[in-house]
Structure formats: structure tokens, C-alpha cells
Amino acid sequence: VRLDESEVKSADLNEGIESTLALLQNQTQAGSIEVIRCFDETLPRLLCRPAEINQVLMNLLQNAIDAIGGPGSITITTSHGPEQVSIAIRDTGIGLKPEKLDNLFDFSFSSDHSRVKLGMGLPISHQIIVQHRGELRVDSTPGEGSTFTVVLPKQMAVKGG
């Protein structure tokens, strides 16, 4: 199943992660970032909009790379239980201050030296996961890194997008 189409279909999430990592390979290599895969090989296929899930993976992995900003590691863990599947992306980056966590999924502006950016990646990712009847969770410690976890129900009715 190709993960670049927007229709609802059955998808292999481990395959989607690998496709996204292939697109980001130059950045991880240039930054000396080790990618550690802890994939559940028994992860069931999931009925979803693969292109949208792939967009979420791209946003989360790009943010992890940016948060590390040099040598470090990203650990990607997939797992499933009776009712849900999950993808956890843990980085060894700068982490987030507790006061940033409350508004993390709101659209915001940020300054990056000479330019102003509109922060849309996390709000859009959150919206996509909610449309898939799932959750996007974050756990972060300043100076130690962050873990973003996508939790999706195994049986889902995907809302219109």
C-alpha cells in the first residue's frame, strides 16, 4: 500500500515510518543522528488515511531532528494492544519547558533569528490524529528530550477530512 494517497485504506504503519525515514535520511546523516527502530513486527494493518498519517510522521520526525540540532538519537517504537496501536517517537533533543506544553497544539508564531515562522506542524498533526479518533500525547523534559506518541484505535471510523 502506498502511503502517499489520501483515500481511506488499510496501511502498514511500520512501512510508513520507513518511507518517511528514507525522505529524511540526508538530514539524519548530516546531523549524526542515530535512528533506533523498535518495531512491533505483529503490528496489524490499520484502516486510515495513509497520506495524512505519513504527514504526521514527517512532522514529528522533522521536529525531533530540529530539536536535536546535531549528534543524538531518535527512537521509534511501534506497539499494539487489544484496542489500539501506537507509535512513539523519542528524541534526545532540547526538550520543552512545561509552560510550552499547554499550548503545544495551538497555531503559533515563532522567531528563528532573521525570520518569523508560523508553527503549523504540531497543530495540523494533532487535528489529523483527532480526525482518526486517536490521541497525540507528549512527554518532555528540558535538556533531556521529548517523546511524542500517536495512539490510534484499531477499529476506527475516520472523520471527513
Side-chain angles (χ1 to χ4, degrees), residues 6 10-11 14 30 36 41 52 59 62 70 78-79 81 96-97 99 101 105 112 119 124 138 151-152:
S6 64
S10 173
N14 289 336
I36 302 162
E41 297 302 326
E52 293 178 3
N59 288 339
Q62 184 66 63
T78 59
S79 61
L96 297 165
K97 295 177 183 174
E99 59 269 19
L101 296 177
F105 301 126
D112 183 9
I124 289 171
V138 62
V151 180
L152 296 166

Side-chain angles (χ1 to χ4, degrees), residues 104-156:
L104 195 59
F105 301 126
D106 295 342
F107 291 98
S108 63
F109 290 96
S110 64
S111 173
D112 183 9
H113 301 294
S114 62
R115 62 186 186 143
V116 175
K117 301 187 302 186
L118 176 60
M120 294 178 57
L122 286 176
I124 289 171
S125 295
H126 182 258
Q127 182 179 19
I128 289 169
I129 297 305
V130 168
Q131 287 175 342
H132 280 79
R133 310 263 191 239
E135 293 179 65
L136 181 55
R137 301 174 184 161
V138 62
D139 181 38
S140 188
T141 304
E144 294 182 20
S146 302
T147 302
F148 284 83
T149 305
V150 174
V151 180
L152 296 166
K154 283 184 178 178
Q155 302 292 323
M156 76 173 112

Side-chain angles (χ1 to χ4, degrees), residues 76-104:
I76 306 165
T77 305
T78 59
S79 61
H80 71 98
E83 302 292 325
Q84 61 195 26
V85 299
S86 65
I87 303 167
I89 299 172
R90 181 172 54 88
D91 67 61
T92 58
I94 58 173
L96 297 165
K97 295 177 183 174
E99 59 269 19
K100 292 257 186 191
L101 296 177
D102 290 338
N103 301 319
L104 195 59

